[in-house]
Amino acid sequence: LAQLERDAPELTELAVLRPLDAATWSSVSLALAKSTRLRTLIAHKALTPEVLRELADGCSTSQLESVSVGTQQLGDEGAAILLPALARCPTLLSCDLEARGLGDASADGIVSLILGGASPAHLHSLTVARNDGLTPVAIQKIAGAVASSQLTRLDVSSLGLGAEGAGALGQMCASAQRLERLVIKSADLGVGGAAAFAHAMASPAVALRAIDLSDVALGAGAAALLAA
């Protein structure tokens, strides 16, 4: 904390490994807002709404480039506090929202984060993997935003994409000229989803350099299309 408060040049990454009381979190949040050196914040802790609000405010005016905050307990209520603040962060490039208990109510906040809100920065990497509450409806919103964004990496692993979500991701890949890497490990594409995804991916407009489909049931027809 002392290093953060004095903006020590050697402190570029802060990983919170032990529980902190509310007063210490408040000090961290205030120092974070003033820091010109810190670029990465990792805080996989369950936070009260009050602490989360202070931390989110600190992030919104910080010079962070990478943020991974919260646990499965974050949920849509916590995301409603955190995501708008991150969308305002002027330097944010990477955000990890894996396994944060998010559902469809967080979709609009994720979209705003992808598109940058009022921030001059453009998010390059986003992980929304292992959020069981994100349905194909949310995936379609997220895919639509990615298609017109500066995102270069998206991880939607272990989500129930369904045919609608899988098809939307395929169309996204055909439209998103910046997207280079897509991770869909262990995702459920649903009935017909693999074929819809593969057909969209067959477009010559797809600019992806890498796609991770580990442990995804594609079927012979879809696999052949993707391999072509």
Side-chain angles (χ1 to χ4, degrees):
L1 177 57
Q3 285 182 301
L4 182 61
E5 289 179 326
R6 71 169 185 268
D7 202 13
E10 65 272 17
L11 186 65
T12 59
E13 177 176 318
L14 176 63
V16 180
L17 302 178
R18 60 182 179 84
L20 304 179
D21 59 30
T24 304
W25 273 119
S26 183
S27 297
V28 168
S29 301
L30 289 172
L32 178 63
K34 299 175 182 179
S35 174
T36 64
R37 312 283 187 172
L38 197 69
R39 295 293 179 265
T40 300
L41 174 64
I42 302 169
H44 297 158
K45 301 295 178 184
L47 306 173
T48 66
E50 294 76 17
V51 166
L52 182 60
R53 190 169 287 107
E54 284 190 314
L55 187 62
D57 287 344
C59 289
S60 70
T61 56
S62 72
Q63 295 189 31
L64 288 169
E65 295 178 355
S66 178
V67 170
S68 182
V69 167
T71 67
Q72 184 76 24
Q73 297 178 27
L74 181 70
D76 291 329
E77 291 185 5
I81 297 171
L82 180 63
L83 296 182
L86 294 183
R88 296 194 303 272
C89 179
T91 52
L92 190 65
L93 300 176
S94 176
C95 184
D96 175 14
L97 295 172
E98 181 174 352
R100 297 299 194 269
L102 306 183
D104 286 358
S106 295
D108 289 341
I110 295 171
V111 166
S112 294
L113 178 62
I114 292 169
L115 298 179
S119 167
H122 297 288
L123 199 69
H124 289 179
S125 177
L126 174 65
T127 297
V128 292
R130 298 199 301 132
N131 285 289
D132 295 341
L134 291 176
T135 72
V137 173
I139 299 303
Q140 290 178 76
K141 287 185 177 182
I142 293 169
V146 172
S148 59
S149 75
Q150 302 295 310
L151 210 70
T152 60
R153 182 186 184 278
L154 176 66
D155 188 340
V156 292
S157 297
S158 300
L159 297 184
L161 302 176
E164 297 87 353
L169 287 177
Q171 293 169 14
M172 171 196 75
C173 291
S175 303
Q177 295 303 303
R178 299 281 185 174
L179 193 65
E180 297 178 354
R181 181 172 176 80
L182 178 63
V183 184
I184 321 181
K185 295 186 294 185
S186 303
D188 180 4
L189 304 190
V191 177
F197 178 75
H199 279 291
M201 287 291 293
S203 168
V206 173
L208 281 180
R209 294 183 180 180
I211 181 169
D212 188 342
L213 288 161
S214 304
D215 299 317
V216 174
L218 291 173
L225 277 173
L226 289 170

Coordinates of all heavy atoms in Angstrom, one line a residue, residues 33-131:
A33 N -6.5 5.6 -7.9 CA -7.0 6.7 -8.8 C -5.9 7.7 -9.1 O -6.0 8.4 -10.2 CB -8.2 7.4 -8.1
K34 N -4.9 7.8 -8.2 CA -3.9 8.8 -8.4 C -2.6 8.2 -9.1 O -1.7 9.0 -9.5 CB -3.5 9.5 -7.1 CG -4.6 10.2 -6.4 CD -4.2 10.7 -5.1 CE -5.4 11.4 -4.4 NZ -5.0 11.9 -3.0
S35 N -2.5 6.9 -9.1 CA -1.3 6.2 -9.6 C -1.0 6.5 -11.1 O -2.0 6.4 -11.9 CB -1.3 4.7 -9.3 OG -0.2 4.1 -9.9
T36 N 0.2 6.8 -11.4 CA 0.6 6.9 -12.8 C 1.4 5.7 -13.3 O 1.8 5.7 -14.5 CB 1.4 8.2 -13.1 OG1 2.6 8.1 -12.3 CG2 0.6 9.4 -12.6
R37 N 1.7 4.8 -12.4 CA 2.6 3.7 -12.7 C 1.9 2.3 -12.8 O 2.3 1.5 -13.6 CB 3.7 3.5 -11.6 CG 4.3 4.9 -11.2 CD 5.4 5.3 -12.2 NE 6.1 6.5 -11.8 CZ 7.2 7.0 -12.4 NH1 7.6 6.4 -13.5 NH2 7.8 8.1 -11.9
L38 N 0.9 2.1 -12.0 CA 0.2 0.8 -11.9 C -0.5 0.5 -13.2 O -1.3 1.3 -13.7 CB -0.8 0.8 -10.7 CG -1.2 -0.6 -10.3 CD1 0.0 -1.4 -9.7 CD2 -2.4 -0.6 -9.3
R39 N -0.3 -0.7 -13.7 CA -0.9 -1.1 -15.0 C -1.8 -2.3 -14.9 O -2.7 -2.5 -15.7 CB 0.2 -1.4 -16.0 CG 1.1 -0.2 -16.4 CD 0.2 0.9 -17.2 NE 1.0 2.1 -17.5 CZ 1.1 3.2 -16.8 NH1 0.4 3.3 -15.7 NH2 1.8 4.2 -17.2
T40 N -1.6 -3.1 -13.8 CA -2.4 -4.3 -13.7 C -2.9 -4.5 -12.3 O -2.2 -4.3 -11.3 CB -1.5 -5.6 -14.0 OG1 -1.0 -5.5 -15.3 CG2 -2.3 -6.9 -13.8
L41 N -4.2 -4.8 -12.2 CA -4.8 -5.0 -10.9 C -5.5 -6.4 -10.9 O -6.3 -6.7 -11.8 CB -5.9 -3.9 -10.6 CG -6.7 -4.1 -9.3 CD1 -5.9 -4.1 -8.1 CD2 -7.9 -3.1 -9.3
I42 N -5.1 -7.2 -9.9 CA -5.7 -8.5 -9.8 C -6.2 -8.6 -8.3 O -5.5 -8.5 -7.4 CB -4.7 -9.6 -10.0 CG1 -4.1 -9.5 -11.4 CG2 -5.3 -11.0 -9.8 CD1 -2.9 -10.4 -11.6
A43 N -7.5 -8.8 -8.2 CA -8.1 -8.8 -6.8 C -9.3 -9.8 -6.9 O -10.5 -9.4 -7.0 CB -8.6 -7.4 -6.4
H44 N -9.0 -11.1 -6.7 CA -10.0 -12.1 -6.7 C -10.6 -12.3 -5.3 O -10.3 -13.3 -4.7 CB -9.4 -13.4 -7.3 CG -9.0 -13.3 -8.7 ND1 -8.0 -14.1 -9.3 CD2 -9.3 -12.4 -9.7 CE1 -7.8 -13.8 -10.5 NE2 -8.6 -12.7 -10.8
K45 N -11.3 -11.3 -4.9 CA -11.9 -11.2 -3.6 C -13.4 -10.9 -3.7 O -13.8 -10.2 -4.5 CB -11.2 -10.2 -2.7 CG -9.7 -10.4 -2.6 CD -9.4 -11.6 -1.8 CE -7.9 -11.9 -1.7 NZ -7.6 -13.2 -1.0
A46 N -14.1 -11.5 -2.7 CA -15.5 -11.1 -2.6 C -15.6 -9.7 -1.9 O -15.1 -9.6 -0.8 CB -16.3 -12.1 -1.8
L47 N -16.2 -8.7 -2.6 CA -16.2 -7.4 -2.1 C -17.6 -6.9 -1.8 O -18.6 -7.2 -2.5 CB -15.6 -6.4 -3.1 CG -14.2 -6.8 -3.6 CD1 -13.7 -5.9 -4.8 CD2 -13.2 -6.7 -2.5
T48 N -17.8 -6.2 -0.7 CA -19.1 -5.6 -0.4 C -19.4 -4.5 -1.5 O -18.5 -4.0 -2.1 CB -19.1 -4.9 1.0 OG1 -18.2 -3.8 0.9 CG2 -18.7 -5.9 2.0
P49 N -20.7 -4.2 -1.7 CA -21.0 -3.2 -2.6 C -20.3 -1.8 -2.4 O -19.9 -1.2 -3.3 CB -22.6 -3.0 -2.5 CG -23.0 -4.4 -2.0 CD -21.9 -4.9 -1.1
E50 N -20.2 -1.5 -1.1 CA -19.5 -0.2 -0.8 C -18.1 -0.2 -1.2 O -17.6 0.7 -1.8 CB -19.7 0.0 0.7 CG -21.1 0.3 1.2 CD -21.9 -1.0 1.3 OE1 -21.3 -2.1 1.3 OE2 -23.1 -0.9 1.4
V51 N -17.4 -1.3 -0.9 CA -15.9 -1.5 -1.2 C -15.8 -1.5 -2.7 O -14.9 -0.9 -3.3 CB -15.3 -2.7 -0.6 CG1 -14.0 -3.0 -1.2 CG2 -15.2 -2.5 0.9
L52 N -16.7 -2.3 -3.4 CA -16.6 -2.4 -4.8 C -16.8 -1.0 -5.5 O -16.2 -0.7 -6.5 CB -17.7 -3.4 -5.3 CG -17.7 -3.7 -6.8 CD1 -16.4 -4.2 -7.3 CD2 -18.8 -4.7 -7.2
R53 N -17.8 -0.3 -5.0 CA -18.0 1.1 -5.6 C -16.8 2.0 -5.5 O -16.5 2.7 -6.4 CB -19.2 1.7 -4.9 CG -19.8 2.9 -5.6 CD -21.1 3.3 -5.0 NE -22.2 2.4 -5.4 CZ -22.8 1.5 -4.7 NH1 -22.4 1.4 -3.4 NH2 -23.7 0.7 -5.2
E54 N -16.2 1.9 -4.3 CA -14.9 2.8 -4.2 C -13.8 2.3 -5.1 O -13.2 3.1 -5.8 CB -14.4 2.7 -2.7 CG -15.2 3.5 -1.8 CD -14.6 3.6 -0.4 OE1 -14.1 2.6 0.1 OE2 -14.5 4.7 0.1
L55 N -13.7 1.0 -5.2 CA -12.6 0.4 -6.1 C -12.9 0.7 -7.5 O -12.0 1.1 -8.3 CB -12.5 -1.1 -5.9 CG -11.4 -1.8 -6.6 CD1 -10.0 -1.3 -6.1 CD2 -11.5 -3.3 -6.4
A56 N -14.2 0.6 -7.9 CA -14.6 0.9 -9.3 C -14.3 2.4 -9.6 O -13.8 2.7 -10.7 CB -16.1 0.6 -9.5
D57 N -14.6 3.3 -8.7 CA -14.4 4.7 -8.9 C -12.9 4.9 -9.1 O -12.5 5.7 -10.0 CB -14.9 5.5 -7.7 CG -16.4 5.6 -7.7 OD1 -17.0 5.3 -8.7 OD2 -16.9 6.0 -6.6
G58 N -12.1 4.2 -8.3 CA -10.6 4.4 -8.5 C -10.1 3.9 -9.8 O -9.3 4.5 -10.5
C59 N -10.7 2.8 -10.3 CA -10.3 2.2 -11.6 C -10.7 3.2 -12.7 O -10.0 3.3 -13.7 CB -11.0 0.9 -11.8 SG -10.4 -0.5 -10.8
S60 N -11.8 3.8 -12.6 CA -12.4 4.7 -13.7 C -11.4 5.8 -14.1 O -11.5 6.3 -15.2 CB -13.7 5.2 -13.3 OG -13.7 6.2 -12.3
T61 N -10.7 6.3 -13.1 CA -9.7 7.4 -13.4 C -8.3 7.0 -13.3 O -7.4 7.8 -13.3 CB -10.0 8.6 -12.4 OG1 -9.8 8.1 -11.1 CG2 -11.4 9.1 -12.6
S62 N -8.0 5.7 -13.2 CA -6.7 5.2 -13.1 C -6.0 5.1 -14.5 O -6.6 5.4 -15.5 CB -6.7 3.8 -12.5 OG -7.2 2.8 -13.4
Q63 N -4.8 4.6 -14.5 CA -4.1 4.3 -15.8 C -3.9 2.8 -15.9 O -2.9 2.4 -16.6 CB -2.8 5.1 -15.8 CG -3.0 6.6 -15.9 CD -1.7 7.4 -16.2 OE1 -0.8 6.9 -16.9 NE2 -1.7 8.6 -15.6
L64 N -4.8 2.0 -15.4 CA -4.7 0.6 -15.5 C -4.9 0.2 -17.0 O -5.7 0.7 -17.7 CB -5.8 -0.1 -14.7 CG -5.6 0.0 -13.1 CD1 -6.8 -0.5 -12.4 CD2 -4.4 -0.9 -12.8
E65 N -4.2 -0.9 -17.3 CA -4.3 -1.5 -18.7 C -5.0 -2.9 -18.6 O -5.6 -3.4 -19.6 CB -3.0 -1.6 -19.3 CG -2.3 -0.3 -19.6 CD -1.0 -0.4 -20.3 OE1 -0.5 -1.6 -20.4 OE2 -0.4 0.6 -20.6
S66 N -4.9 -3.5 -17.4 CA -5.5 -4.9 -17.2 C -6.1 -5.0 -15.9 O -5.5 -4.7 -14.9 CB -4.3 -5.9 -17.4 OG -4.8 -7.2 -17.2
V67 N -7.4 -5.5 -15.9 CA -8.1 -5.6 -14.6 C -8.8 -7.0 -14.5 O -9.4 -7.5 -15.5 CB -9.2 -4.5 -14.5 CG1 -10.1 -4.8 -13.3 CG2 -8.6 -3.2 -14.4
S68 N -8.6 -7.6 -13.3 CA -9.3 -8.9 -13.0 C -9.7 -8.8 -11.6 O -9.0 -8.9 -10.6 CB -8.4 -10.1 -13.2 OG -9.0 -11.3 -12.9
V69 N -11.0 -8.4 -11.4 CA -11.6 -8.1 -10.0 C -12.8 -9.0 -9.8 O -13.6 -9.2 -10.6 CB -11.9 -6.6 -9.9 CG1 -12.7 -6.4 -8.7 CG2 -10.7 -5.8 -9.9
G70 N -12.9 -9.5 -8.5 CA -14.1 -10.1 -8.1 C -14.0 -11.7 -8.1 O -13.0 -12.2 -8.5
T71 N -15.1 -12.3 -7.7 CA -15.3 -13.8 -7.7 C -16.6 -14.1 -8.3 O -17.3 -13.3 -8.8 CB -15.2 -14.3 -6.2 OG1 -16.3 -13.8 -5.5 CG2 -13.9 -13.8 -5.5
Q72 N -17.0 -15.4 -8.1 CA -18.3 -15.8 -8.6 C -19.4 -15.0 -7.9 O -20.5 -14.9 -8.4 CB -18.4 -17.3 -8.2 CG -19.7 -18.0 -8.7 CD -19.7 -18.2 -10.2 OE1 -18.7 -18.4 -10.8 NE2 -20.9 -18.3 -10.8
Q73 N -19.1 -14.5 -6.7 CA -20.1 -13.7 -6.0 C -20.4 -12.3 -6.6 O -21.3 -11.6 -6.1 CB -19.7 -13.6 -4.5 CG -19.6 -14.9 -3.8 CD -19.2 -14.8 -2.4 OE1 -19.4 -13.7 -1.8 NE2 -18.5 -15.8 -1.8
L74 N -19.6 -11.9 -7.6 CA -19.8 -10.5 -8.1 C -21.2 -10.4 -8.7 O -21.9 -9.5 -8.3 CB -18.8 -10.3 -9.2 CG -18.9 -8.9 -9.9 CD1 -18.4 -7.8 -8.9 CD2 -18.0 -8.9 -11.2
G75 N -21.6 -11.3 -9.5 CA -23.0 -11.3 -10.0 C -23.3 -10.1 -10.8 O -22.5 -9.2 -11.0
D76 N -24.6 -10.1 -11.3 CA -25.1 -8.9 -12.1 C -25.1 -7.6 -11.3 O -24.9 -6.5 -11.8 CB -26.5 -9.2 -12.6 CG -26.4 -10.3 -13.7 OD1 -25.4 -10.4 -14.4 OD2 -27.4 -11.0 -13.8
E77 N -25.4 -7.7 -10.0 CA -25.4 -6.5 -9.1 C -24.1 -5.9 -9.0 O -23.9 -4.7 -9.1 CB -26.0 -6.8 -7.7 CG -27.5 -7.2 -7.8 CD -28.1 -7.4 -6.4 OE1 -27.3 -7.2 -5.4 OE2 -29.2 -7.8 -6.3
G78 N -23.0 -6.7 -8.8 CA -21.7 -6.2 -8.7 C -21.2 -5.7 -10.1 O -20.5 -4.6 -10.2
A79 N -21.6 -6.4 -11.1 CA -21.2 -6.0 -12.5 C -21.8 -4.6 -12.8 O -21.2 -3.8 -13.5 CB -21.6 -7.0 -13.5
A80 N -23.0 -4.3 -12.3 CA -23.6 -3.1 -12.6 C -22.9 -1.9 -12.0 O -22.9 -0.8 -12.4 CB -25.1 -3.1 -12.0
I81 N -22.1 -2.2 -10.9 CA -21.2 -1.2 -10.3 C -19.9 -1.1 -11.1 O -19.4 0.0 -11.4 CB -21.0 -1.5 -8.8 CG1 -22.3 -1.5 -8.1 CG2 -19.9 -0.6 -8.2 CD1 -22.1 -2.0 -6.6
L82 N -19.3 -2.3 -11.3 CA -17.9 -2.4 -11.9 C -17.8 -2.0 -13.3 O -16.9 -1.2 -13.7 CB -17.4 -3.8 -11.6 CG -16.0 -4.0 -12.1 CD1 -15.0 -3.2 -11.4 CD2 -15.6 -5.5 -11.9
L83 N -18.7 -2.6 -14.2 CA -18.5 -2.4 -15.6 C -18.6 -1.0 -16.2 O -17.8 -0.6 -17.0 CB -19.5 -3.3 -16.4 CG -19.3 -4.8 -16.1 CD1 -20.3 -5.6 -16.9 CD2 -17.9 -5.3 -16.5
P84 N -19.6 -0.2 -15.7 CA -19.6 1.2 -16.2 C -18.3 2.0 -15.8 O -17.8 2.8 -16.6 CB -20.8 1.8 -15.5 CG -21.7 0.7 -15.2 CD -20.7 -0.5 -14.8
A85 N -17.7 1.7 -14.7 CA -16.5 2.3 -14.3 C -15.3 1.9 -15.1 O -14.5 2.7 -15.6 CB -16.2 2.0 -12.8
L86 N -15.3 0.6 -15.4 CA -14.2 0.1 -16.3 C -14.3 0.7 -17.7 O -13.3 0.9 -18.4 CB -14.2 -1.4 -16.3 CG -13.8 -2.1 -15.0 CD1 -13.8 -3.6 -15.2 CD2 -12.5 -1.6 -14.5
A87 N -15.5 0.9 -18.2 CA -15.8 1.4 -19.5 C -15.2 2.9 -19.6 O -14.9 3.4 -20.7 CB -17.2 1.4 -19.9
R88 N -15.2 3.5 -18.4 CA -14.6 4.9 -18.4 C -13.1 5.0 -18.2 O -12.6 6.1 -18.4 CB -15.3 5.7 -17.3 CG -16.8 5.9 -17.4 CD -17.4 7.0 -16.5 NE -17.1 6.7 -15.1 CZ -17.8 5.9 -14.3 NH1 -18.9 5.4 -14.8 NH2 -17.5 5.7 -13.0
C89 N -12.5 3.9 -17.9 CA -11.1 3.9 -17.7 C -10.3 4.3 -18.9 O -10.5 3.6 -20.0 CB -10.6 2.5 -17.2 SG -8.8 2.4 -16.9
P90 N -9.5 5.3 -18.9 CA -9.0 5.8 -20.2 C -7.9 5.0 -20.8 O -7.5 5.2 -22.0 CB -8.4 7.2 -19.8 CG -8.1 7.0 -18.3 CD -9.2 6.1 -17.8
T91 N -7.4 4.0 -20.1 CA -6.3 3.2 -20.6 C -6.5 1.7 -20.7 O -5.6 1.0 -21.1 CB -5.0 3.5 -19.7 OG1 -5.4 3.2 -18.4 CG2 -4.5 4.9 -19.9
L92 N -7.7 1.2 -20.3 CA -7.9 -0.2 -20.2 C -7.9 -0.9 -21.5 O -8.5 -0.6 -22.5 CB -9.3 -0.4 -19.5 CG -9.6 -1.9 -19.1 CD1 -8.6 -2.3 -18.0 CD2 -11.0 -2.0 -18.7
L93 N -7.0 -2.0 -21.5 CA -6.9 -2.8 -22.7 C -7.4 -4.3 -22.5 O -7.7 -4.9 -23.5 CB -5.4 -2.9 -23.1 CG -4.7 -1.5 -23.4 CD1 -3.2 -1.7 -23.7 CD2 -5.4 -0.9 -24.6
S94 N -7.4 -4.8 -21.3 CA -7.7 -6.2 -21.0 C -8.6 -6.3 -19.8 O -8.3 -5.7 -18.8 CB -6.4 -7.0 -20.9 OG -6.7 -8.3 -20.5
C95 N -9.6 -7.1 -19.9 CA -10.5 -7.3 -18.7 C -10.9 -8.8 -18.6 O -11.3 -9.4 -19.6 CB -11.8 -6.5 -18.9 SG -12.9 -6.6 -17.5
D96 N -10.7 -9.3 -17.4 CA -11.0 -10.7 -17.1 C -12.3 -10.8 -16.3 O -12.3 -10.4 -15.2 CB -9.8 -11.3 -16.4 CG -10.1 -12.8 -15.9 OD1 -11.1 -13.4 -16.4 OD2 -9.4 -13.3 -15.1
L97 N -13.3 -11.3 -16.9 CA -14.6 -11.5 -16.2 C -15.0 -13.0 -16.1 O -16.2 -13.3 -16.0 CB -15.7 -10.7 -16.9 CG -15.6 -9.2 -17.0 CD1 -16.6 -8.6 -17.9 CD2 -15.7 -8.6 -15.6
E98 N -14.0 -13.8 -16.1 CA -14.2 -15.3 -16.1 C -14.8 -15.7 -14.7 O -14.3 -15.3 -13.7 CB -13.0 -16.1 -16.3 CG -13.2 -17.6 -16.3 CD -11.9 -18.4 -16.7 OE1 -10.9 -17.7 -17.1 OE2 -12.0 -19.6 -16.6
A99 N -15.9 -16.5 -14.8 CA -16.6 -17.0 -13.6 C -16.9 -16.0 -12.6 O -16.5 -16.1 -11.4 CB -15.6 -18.1 -13.0
R100 N -17.6 -15.0 -13.0 CA -18.0 -13.9 -12.1 C -19.5 -14.0 -11.8 O -20.1 -13.0 -11.2 CB -17.7 -12.5 -12.7 CG -16.2 -12.3 -12.9 CD -15.4 -12.3 -11.6 NE -14.1 -11.8 -11.8 CZ -13.0 -12.5 -12.1 NH1 -13.1 -13.8 -12.3 NH2 -11.8 -11.9 -12.3
G101 N -20.2 -15.0 -12.1 CA -21.6 -15.2 -11.8 C -22.5 -14.2 -12.6 O -23.5 -13.8 -12.1
L102 N -22.0 -13.9 -13.8 CA -22.8 -13.0 -14.6 C -23.9 -13.6 -15.4 O -23.8 -14.8 -15.8 CB -21.9 -12.3 -15.6 CG -20.6 -11.6 -15.1 CD1 -19.8 -10.9 -16.2 CD2 -21.0 -10.6 -14.0
G103 N -25.0 -12.9 -15.6 CA -26.1 -13.3 -16.4 C -26.5 -12.3 -17.4 O -25.7 -11.3 -17.7
D104 N -27.6 -12.5 -18.1 CA -28.0 -11.6 -19.2 C -28.2 -10.1 -18.8 O -28.0 -9.3 -19.6 CB -29.3 -12.1 -19.8 CG -29.1 -13.4 -20.6 OD1 -28.0 -13.8 -20.8 OD2 -30.1 -13.9 -21.1
A105 N -28.4 -9.9 -17.5 CA -28.6 -8.5 -17.0 C -27.3 -7.7 -17.2 O -27.3 -6.5 -17.1 CB -29.0 -8.5 -15.6
S106 N -26.1 -8.5 -17.3 CA -24.8 -7.8 -17.4 C -24.5 -7.6 -18.9 O -23.4 -7.0 -19.2 CB -23.7 -8.6 -16.8 OG -23.9 -8.7 -15.4
A107 N -25.3 -8.1 -19.8 CA -24.9 -8.0 -21.2 C -24.7 -6.6 -21.7 O -23.7 -6.3 -22.4 CB -26.0 -8.7 -22.1
D108 N -25.5 -5.7 -21.4 CA -25.4 -4.3 -21.8 C -24.1 -3.6 -21.2 O -23.5 -2.9 -21.9 CB -26.6 -3.4 -21.5 CG -27.8 -3.8 -22.3 OD1 -27.7 -4.4 -23.3 OD2 -29.0 -3.5 -21.8
G109 N -23.8 -4.0 -20.0 CA -22.6 -3.5 -19.4 C -21.3 -4.0 -20.1 O -20.4 -3.3 -20.3
I110 N -21.4 -5.3 -20.5 CA -20.3 -5.9 -21.2 C -20.1 -5.2 -22.6 O -19.0 -4.9 -23.0 CB -20.5 -7.4 -21.4 CG1 -20.4 -8.1 -20.0 CG2 -19.4 -8.0 -22.3 CD1 -20.8 -9.5 -20.0
V111 N -21.2 -4.9 -23.2 CA -21.2 -4.3 -24.5 C -20.6 -2.9 -24.4 O -19.7 -2.5 -25.2 CB -22.7 -4.2 -25.1 CG1 -22.7 -3.2 -26.3 CG2 -23.1 -5.5 -25.6
S112 N -21.0 -2.1 -23.4 CA -20.4 -0.8 -23.2 C -18.9 -0.9 -22.9 O -18.1 0.0 -23.4 CB -21.1 -0.1 -22.0 OG -22.4 0.2 -22.3
L113 N -18.5 -1.9 -22.2 CA -17.1 -2.1 -22.0 C -16.3 -2.4 -23.3 O -15.2 -1.8 -23.5 CB -16.9 -3.3 -21.0 CG -15.5 -3.7 -20.6 CD1 -14.7 -2.5 -19.9 CD2 -15.5 -4.9 -19.7
I114 N -16.9 -3.2 -24.1 CA -16.3 -3.6 -25.4 C -16.1 -2.3 -26.3 O -15.1 -2.1 -26.9 CB -17.1 -4.6 -26.1 CG1 -17.0 -6.0 -25.4 CG2 -16.6 -4.8 -27.6 CD1 -18.0 -7.0 -25.9
L115 N -17.2 -1.5 -26.3 CA -17.2 -0.4 -27.2 C -16.5 0.9 -26.6 O -16.3 1.9 -27.3 CB -18.6 0.0 -27.6 CG -19.4 -1.1 -28.3 CD1 -20.8 -0.7 -28.6 CD2 -18.6 -1.5 -29.6
G116 N -16.1 0.8 -25.3 CA -15.3 1.8 -24.7 C -16.0 2.9 -24.0 O -15.4 3.7 -23.3
G117 N -17.3 3.0 -24.1 CA -18.0 4.1 -23.4 C -17.4 5.4 -23.8 O -17.3 5.7 -24.9
A118 N -17.1 6.2 -22.8 CA -16.5 7.5 -23.0 C -15.0 7.5 -23.0 O -14.3 8.5 -23.1 CB -17.0 8.5 -21.9
S119 N -14.4 6.3 -22.9 CA -13.0 6.1 -22.8 C -12.3 6.2 -24.2 O -12.8 5.8 -25.2 CB -12.7 4.7 -22.2 OG -11.3 4.4 -22.4
P120 N -11.1 6.9 -24.2 CA -10.4 7.0 -25.5 C -9.7 5.7 -25.8 O -9.2 5.5 -26.9 CB -9.4 8.1 -25.2 CG -9.2 8.1 -23.7 CD -10.5 7.7 -23.1
A121 N -9.6 4.8 -24.8 CA -8.9 3.5 -25.1 C -9.8 2.5 -25.7 O -11.0 2.7 -25.7 CB -8.3 2.9 -23.8
H122 N -9.3 1.5 -26.3 CA -10.1 0.5 -26.9 C -9.7 -0.9 -26.3 O -8.5 -1.3 -26.4 CB -9.9 0.4 -28.5 CG -10.3 1.7 -29.1 ND1 -11.6 2.0 -29.3 CD2 -9.6 2.7 -29.7 CE1 -11.7 3.2 -29.9 NE2 -10.5 3.6 -30.2
L123 N -10.7 -1.6 -25.8 CA -10.4 -2.9 -25.2 C -9.9 -3.8 -26.2 O -10.5 -3.9 -27.3 CB -11.7 -3.4 -24.5 CG -11.5 -4.5 -23.5 CD1 -10.8 -4.0 -22.2 CD2 -12.9 -5.1 -23.2
H124 N -8.8 -4.6 -25.9 CA -8.2 -5.5 -26.9 C -8.5 -7.0 -26.5 O -8.6 -7.8 -27.4 CB -6.7 -5.3 -26.9 CG -6.3 -4.0 -27.6 ND1 -5.0 -3.7 -27.8 CD2 -7.0 -3.1 -28.2 CE1 -4.9 -2.5 -28.4 NE2 -6.1 -2.1 -28.7
S125 N -8.7 -7.2 -25.2 CA -8.8 -8.6 -24.8 C -9.9 -8.7 -23.7 O -9.9 -7.9 -22.8 CB -7.5 -9.2 -24.2 OG -7.7 -10.5 -23.7
L126 N -10.9 -9.7 -23.9 CA -12.0 -9.8 -23.0 C -12.2 -11.3 -22.7 O -12.3 -12.1 -23.7 CB -13.2 -9.2 -23.5 CG -14.5 -9.4 -22.7 CD1 -14.4 -8.7 -21.3 CD2 -15.7 -8.8 -23.5
T127 N -12.4 -11.7 -21.5 CA -12.8 -13.0 -21.1 C -14.1 -13.0 -20.4 O -14.2 -12.3 -19.3 CB -11.7 -13.7 -20.2 OG1 -10.5 -13.8 -20.9 CG2 -12.1 -15.1 -19.8
V128 N -15.1 -13.7 -20.9 CA -16.4 -13.8 -20.2 C -16.7 -15.3 -20.0 O -17.8 -15.7 -19.8 CB -17.5 -13.2 -21.0 CG1 -17.4 -11.7 -21.0 CG2 -17.6 -13.7 -22.4
A129 N -15.7 -16.2 -20.0 CA -15.8 -17.6 -19.9 C -16.4 -18.0 -18.5 O -16.3 -17.3 -17.5 CB -14.5 -18.3 -20.0
R130 N -17.1 -19.2 -18.5 CA -17.6 -19.8 -17.3 C -18.6 -18.9 -16.5 O -18.6 -18.9 -15.3 CB -16.5 -20.3 -16.4 CG -15.6 -21.3 -17.1 CD -14.7 -22.1 -16.1 NE -13.9 -21.3 -15.3 CZ -13.7 -21.3 -14.0 NH1 -14.4 -22.2 -13.3 NH2 -12.9 -20.5 -13.4
N131 N -19.4 -18.2 -17.2 CA -20.5 -17.5 -16.6 C -21.8 -18.1 -17.1 O -22.3 -17.8 -18.2 CB -20.5 -16.0 -17.0 CG -19.4 -15.2 -16.3 OD1 -19.5 -14.9 -15.1 ND2 -18.4 -14.8 -17.1

